[in-house]
Structures are given as structure tokens and as C-alpha cells.
Amino acid sequence: MARLNDDRFTLQRGGRAAPRRRVRPVLLFLIFVSLALMILSRLHHSALDEMRWRIASSLTPVLQVAAVPIVPLREIGHAISSQLDLTAELRHLQNENRKLNGWEWRARQLAAKLADLEALAKVVPEHHIDFITSRVIADSSGAFARSIMINSGSNENIKPGYPVINADGLVGRIVDVGPDSSRVILASDLNSRIPVSIGPSAIRAILVGDNGAEPRILYAPYRAQIADGDDVSTSGMGGLFPPGLRIGKVTGDPNNLRVALRANLDRLEYVSVLKFDGPARTLADELTSEPSRRSPRAAGVARSTSKRQGAQ
Amino acid sequence: MNVMRFVAPIGSVVLLTLLAALPLGVPAGDRFFLPLLPVVAIHYWTLRHDAWLPEWVVFLAGLMLDILTHGPLGYWAFIYLLAHLTATLSTRLHVESTLGRLVLLGFAILFLTVVAWLVASIYFFEVLDLMPYVTGAVLASICAVLIILPVLRLLDGAAESGRTMRLTRGA
């Protein structure tokens, strides 16, 4: 054993710099595990998806606590940007108010006419859609997904597939539900598909997200007259979304039609979940609620159908 | 070893990881810098010989971010482990000056950004737009210099009083 008074040794306070470190085998092992997990994710392993959502929903209390100090920061940032845009915003609102005054009168007339026509045609009245407003507790927007987490879940009777809106328009839909939290896939997400109605002639198409700010319009009829600035709303086709939810306006060139969303998906604080049980969901619920009457195989098909519809 | 040598590295990495998943109001296209912030903490603490930041903590932090951001499992875990690896390997260069360490950190962020872009492109089987990643790397570097490194230095300083004496071989 070397003696301390040996010339070749000095006693000093530990420096900040690390001495040369070894790469431990555990690091290489964990890198291997990460790569294996990535491959399993690419293959959409169902067990991984379920486990992932369970862990994410169990982290809800942590996210809720962590989001508390963020709120004043967000408000400060929002206040600064609002102040910067105040003059332009005021002018814009004045113009809009002038237009809206004219439209209000016209809308009243049309509403009265529509009520008369519906009464004449004995139209089935639309049901009132209940909703719940929730706070955004996590933003998962990145290279792979555009989604948010909200602080309401199955305890508030939220189900997969329910549409999510804010004051400006459609935001997205629920895809995963935990007891106290849910995941909302945004309209701009790569996996988002929304049946839409475009313009005054109500052209049917599908709004397809691509992780960009403006989703694309696909499957519009050949030579359909779609103009820049046409309003886009949900068509209600498929029964997952109620018809008439505002989405945005058409933008881009005719070969690459896109939609400028009304809702600012980057600054979502509170969103409302519409408890819309459309015909598709009612049918799926009926099928899944009576598994004992059918064979186990049929019950399994019904469950997977319900899940798929929730994800669509 | 002082308790802060455990708490500061793990706490800072976990907090920065959580921050990357919080709704900060940052536009989706500009959020790429947020997941790179824990890289700064991982790099910093790995270079400290007496800070305790084991590989499995780095792995779990990355996995937590993967779960919260709904990206592919293992993606950020892989990037963070690479950050640990690059920091470990950079100790062989014996860089002592502050500027030298900043340059090392800059290179690490750049390297990891390119790897992140490459892995994401392979994952989607298409060449993704590199610009958001580059912007993210630049923003992460600015945040590192202006905010994160000073805070980490403060945490490090708080624990310095407890730093043990070290016997080194030398002339």
C-alpha cells in the first residue's frame, strides 16, 4: 500500500472534471433495450400501448402538480403577445363586429325559416349534446404525435371517440381514457381522419392530419369546386362527430388543399369534451355490452371494432 | 457523499423531462428543443466524477418522456443514453476549461440532434424535415447557456461543501 508522504502522491480537493470514465456494460445493455422497445413500438405491439397508457394516466397527479407553476408563466407570455397584437386585434374585431351585426339578422331569419321547414317535414329533433370542460395537463406535440392530455376521464363518463372542441372550433377527439385523465388526438395528428363538409355546396371530404399545422383535404370529389377561404366543418358522416362543428378555412393551392384550423392547437388551456353518442358508438356499445349472447370470437370482434372506431 | 450529489442530478433530469411534456404554449413546430434540455443536465452531471446519475435513471427519464409524448417507446431513452455515452467518452479528452466544455456540450447537442432526426426518419421510412430539429438544437443550446447551466452550477455549488477530499496520483 502506498504511503501518503510518497513523492508521487498529492492530496487535493476533488476537482470538477471527471477522471477518465469507463463505459459500463449496463449502458450498452440499456441502449439495446431502447432499440428493442423502439422496434416493438414500430410494430404497434398492443401490450406496449396498453402499458404505456396505464403509466401515463398514473402520472396524472404529477403532471397536474407540475403544471401549477406553469400557469402564471403561460399567462405572462399570453399577455405579452396579446399586448403586441392589440391594435391589429382591435381593428380586426371592429370589422368582424360590423359583419356579424348583419349576419345576426340574417341568421335569425334563417333559423325561423328552418324551424318552420323542420316542423313541416317532421324532422327528427337533434338531441342536446352534454359536455364537460377540462384543463390541458400535458402537451405531447413532437415529431411523432400531436396530442394532449386532459384532466377528466372515465370518472366523468368520458369515452374514447368523443369530440373535443374549444371556443374556436374542433380540436380533436378522445383516444385513450383513464380514471382521471384522457388523451386527445389533435386534428393535426398524423393518425387523425375527420369526415368534413366544405363550402356552401357542402362537398364531402376527409381531413387528414400530417403532424403539420394545417391538415390536408383528401378524397374530395373529382373536379369539386373548392375555393380558398371556404368554411370547413364536420359532416357527421360515420356518426363519430356531430355535423356542423367548425374546423377552419380552406387554404393552399388546388393540388394541395389544406385547412387553416380555427382553434390554435399550440395554446390550448381548456377544452370541452362533447359527450356525443352517435349511432356508430351506440351500436358498438350495444355489441360490447352483450358479449355473452354471442360466441367468444364474435365478442372479441366487437371489442376490437369498438376500439378501432375509438381510434378513428 | 453529500445527499445533494444524489438529489441534484436526478432531480434536475427528471424536472427537465417533465417540463418537456407540460403545456407551455410553445408552437408544436418549435417544441423540439424541450426534449433536448435534459440532455444538457445529463451531459453536465456525467462529467462530474462525484455526481450520482446512473444509466438506469437516464433510461427511465427517456422512457417517461416517450410515454408522456406518445412517441415510440425507447426513442428518447436511446437519445438520453447516447448523451450519457458521449459525455462519458468526452472525459477521455481531459478538457478542463469552461469554453472547452461548452464546445463539447454544443457538439453533443448537435450530434444527438442529428441522431434524433435520423432515427425518426428511419422510424417513419421517410426523410423528415431537418429544420425543426436544427432550430431545436439552437434553442436548446441558447437555453443551456442562459438558464440551465447557471442553475446546474448553483445546484453543484450547493453540494460542493460536501465534496470529499480526493487522493490523486501526480507529480
Side-chain angles (χ1 to χ4, degrees), chain B residues 44-61:
Chain B
Y44 183 90
W45 294 116
T46 309
L47 290 181
R48 297 284 173 270
H49 71 277
D50 51 356
W52 194 72
L53 185 66
E55 293 85 347
W56 60 266
V57 170
V58 174
F59 173 73
L60 287 180

Side-chain angles (χ1 to χ4, degrees), chain A residues 12 21 42 52 74 140, chain B residues 23 46 55 68 71 123 166:
Chain A
Q12 65 176 52
R21 296 181 82 150
R42 188 72 185 87
R52 169 209 293 270
R74 281 188 64 145
S140 314
Chain B
T46 309
E55 293 85 347
L68 291 175
Y123 186 85
R166 187 156 62 92

Side-chain angles (χ1 to χ4, degrees), chain A residues 99-118:
Chain A
K99 278 184 200 167
L100 285 173
N101 281 334
W103 274 106
E104 188 191 7
W105 177 80
R106 180 91 179 115
R108 279 177 198 278
Q109 273 192 327
L110 287 171
K113 198 179 279 183
L114 188 66
D116 287 346
L117 285 169
E118 281 185 346

